[in-house]
Amino acid sequence: MEFGIVLQTDPPASEVVGRMVAAERAGFGYGWTFDSCVLWQEPFVIHSQILARTNALKVGTMVTNPITRDPTVTASAFATLNEMFGNRTVCGIGRGDSAVRVTGGKPTTLAELSRAMHVIKELAEGREVELHGTPVRLPWVVDGRLPVWMGAYGPKALKLVGEQADGFILQLADPYLTEWMVKHVRGAAVDAGRDPDAVTVCVAAPAYVCADTPGELAHARDQCRWFGGMVGNHVADLVTRYGEATDMVPGELTDYIKGRAGYDYSHHGRAGNPSTDFVPDEIVHRFCLIGPPEAHIAKLRALRGLGVDQFAVYDMHDAKDETIDAYGEHIIPALRRE
C-alpha cells in the first residue's frame, strides 16, 4: 500500500512545502493539495516548489475540475511540471465542488468531465486532440506521462471511472462503502474491456493518531468532523439526483445527511466547521481513521484487502506534524513490512 498526504495551500506556502518534504522523509510517496483558487493559494505554483525540494514524491491535485481551469491549461501545467522534474505528477479531477460553488457555479456534467479527462491526458502525454474542429497538440511534450484519477461517489460517476480513468479517488475510509464502490468501478472496467486491476484505487480521509481514551477520542472526532460535512456536499447531490429511497446509492452513505441544513464554504475542510454539526460520531469513525496506531493499521489492512492501493491522509487538524511523524514511525513501516 502506498501513502499520500493531502494539504490545503494555506499561506504561508513555505509551510506547505516543508510538510511535504517532511512527509517524503517519513515514507509518504504522494503529496496532494486541494485546488480552489479563491479559498486557497494557487496549487501549481506551490507544486513546483514541492517537486524542487523532494526527490521522488509524486504531486497532484485532489481535486481539480474542468470549469475553473480550461483542460488545455491544466494539461500544460502538468506537462510543464513533468518536463521540469520528471513524470512525477497525477491529475486528480472531479466535477467541481468548492472551487466552483464558492463563486456561484455548479458542478459540470459527467459528459464534460469525460471530455476534459481525455483532453488533459492526451495533450499532457504529447498526443493530438481535436478541439472545436481544430487539431491541437503540445509540440514541446516529449515522453510525457500523466495518470488521470477521478473522484466519484454515485453509480454513473463510478461507471465513468471504470470506463476511462487511470485511478479512482474515494474520499472516505468506510470499508463497507469502499467495497461497494470499488466493485462498481471494477465491474465498469470489465464491461469496457479494460483490466480492472489497472485502475488504481486511492482512499483519502482524515487520520488522527491519539490514545484510546474517551477524552482523546472525543477531541479527535471534533477535529475530523468537518470531513463528514465535506462528503455530505457530494452525498446531497446524489440524493437530489437519485432520491433518498433507492437501490442506486446505499443508505449507509446517504442516511446521515438528513439533518444537514446547508453549508458555508468559508469553513471548507477546516476543523471546527460550524456547518458540520449534523455529522454524528459514528460517521466520523466510519469515514476517518482515529485512535492509536494499531487501530489505523487494522483499518488500513481491511482497506488493502478490498483493493485499495493508496491511503491519502487528509492532514487538516491541530496535529498535522504529529500525524506525519506517527505515520512515518509506526503505521507506514508496519504496512510495508507486510
Side-chain angles (χ1 to χ4, degrees):
M1 177 179 273
E2 292 279 356
F3 289 86
I5 194 81
V6 190
L7 298 174
Q8 294 165 335
T9 51
D10 283 316
S14 58
E15 288 190 2
V16 179
V17 176
R19 284 199 173 95
M20 291 293 188
V21 172
E24 183 180 48
R25 290 174 182 161
F28 288 85
Y30 288 76
W32 302 93
T33 68
F34 281 28
D35 179 18
S36 294
C37 59
V38 173
L39 296 175
W40 300 287
Q41 293 182 326
E42 169 57 37
F44 286 99
V45 175
I46 298 172
H47 288 176
S48 68
Q49 296 299 305
I50 295 169
L51 290 164
R53 292 273 307 278
T54 55
N55 298 312
L57 191 76
K58 295 181 180 178
V59 174
T61 48
M62 192 173 281
V63 293
T64 191
N65 70 85
I67 300 175
T68 57
R69 296 186 190 276
D70 184 271
T72 61
V73 175
T74 301
S76 183
F78 277 114
T80 300
L81 292 173
N82 284 339
E83 192 278 329
M84 293 174 68
F85 301 104
N87 291 321
R88 291 170 54 195
T89 65
V90 180
C91 175
I93 192 168
R95 294 176 57 233
D97 180 35
S98 61
V100 178
R101 288 180 162 127
V102 78
T103 57
K106 295 180 179 179
T108 191
T109 64
L110 289 176
E112 183 58 34
L113 178 56
S114 175
R115 286 191 290 271
M117 290 196 295
H118 172 74
V119 169
I120 291 167
K121 184 172 182 66
E122 295 301 293
L123 290 180
E125 295 188 346
R127 293 182 291 274
E128 182 179 286
V129 298
E130 186 173 297
L131 296 173
H132 312 296
T134 302
V136 178
R137 186 173 69 87
L138 302 182
W140 44 269
V141 173
V142 178
D143 297 326
R145 182 178 183 275
L146 181 66
V148 177
W149 296 7
M150 178 183 155
Y153 291 103
K156 292 181 180 178
L158 296 170
K159 182 173 182 288
L160 178 58
V161 173
E163 292 173 341
Q164 182 176 352
D166 299 308
F168 169 38
I169 296 174
L170 173 57
Q171 296 177 88
L172 53 80
D174 176 71
Y176 175 84
L177 292 170
T178 298
E179 182 177 21
W180 185 85
M181 294 185 187
V182 169
K183 183 184 294 185
H184 276 68
V185 168
R186 302 286 195 215
V190 171
D191 291 344
R194 305 178 70 200
D195 177 3
D197 294 326
V199 181
T200 301
V201 177
C202 173
V203 160
Y208 199 105
V209 182
C210 65
D212 191 16
T213 64
E216 292 213 18
L217 290 172
H219 177 76
R221 284 194 299 269
D222 286 342
Q223 287 292 306
C224 298
R225 199 175 306 277
W226 62 266
F227 184 66
M230 186 182 83
V231 174
N233 295 329
H234 303 283
V235 174
D237 285 345
L238 294 178
V239 170
T240 299
R241 187 172 299 113
Y242 298 106
E244 293 184 8
T246 175
D247 294 332
M248 297 290 287
V249 183
E252 287 80 357
L253 179 61
T254 60
D255 287 347
Y256 85 97
I257 70 161
K258 291 178 180 178
R260 180 179 182 269
Y263 192 83
D264 181 355
Y265 277 92
S266 66
H267 303 284
H268 188 59
R270 300 190 187 280
N273 186 335
S275 299
T276 60
D277 291 345
F278 70 93
V279 180
D281 289 351
E282 177 196 2
I283 287 294
V284 180
H285 278 284
R286 280 176 46 199
F287 285 10
C288 306
L289 277 73
I290 291 174
E294 53 267 28
H296 292 244
I297 292 167
K299 193 165 188 178
L300 289 168
R301 283 175 179 152
L303 292 170
R304 183 179 60 188
L306 297 173
V308 174
D309 301 296
Q310 178 184 155
F311 175 61
V313 176
Y314 272 114
D315 202 15
M316 298 157 201
H317 42 57
D318 65 358
K320 296 180 180 68
D321 297 326
E322 294 85 349
T323 299
I324 292 172
D325 292 343
Y327 263 71
E329 183 177 354
H330 301 292
I331 298 165
I332 293 175
L335 271 294
R336 288 197 171 153
R337 280 195 300 269
E338 298 173 1

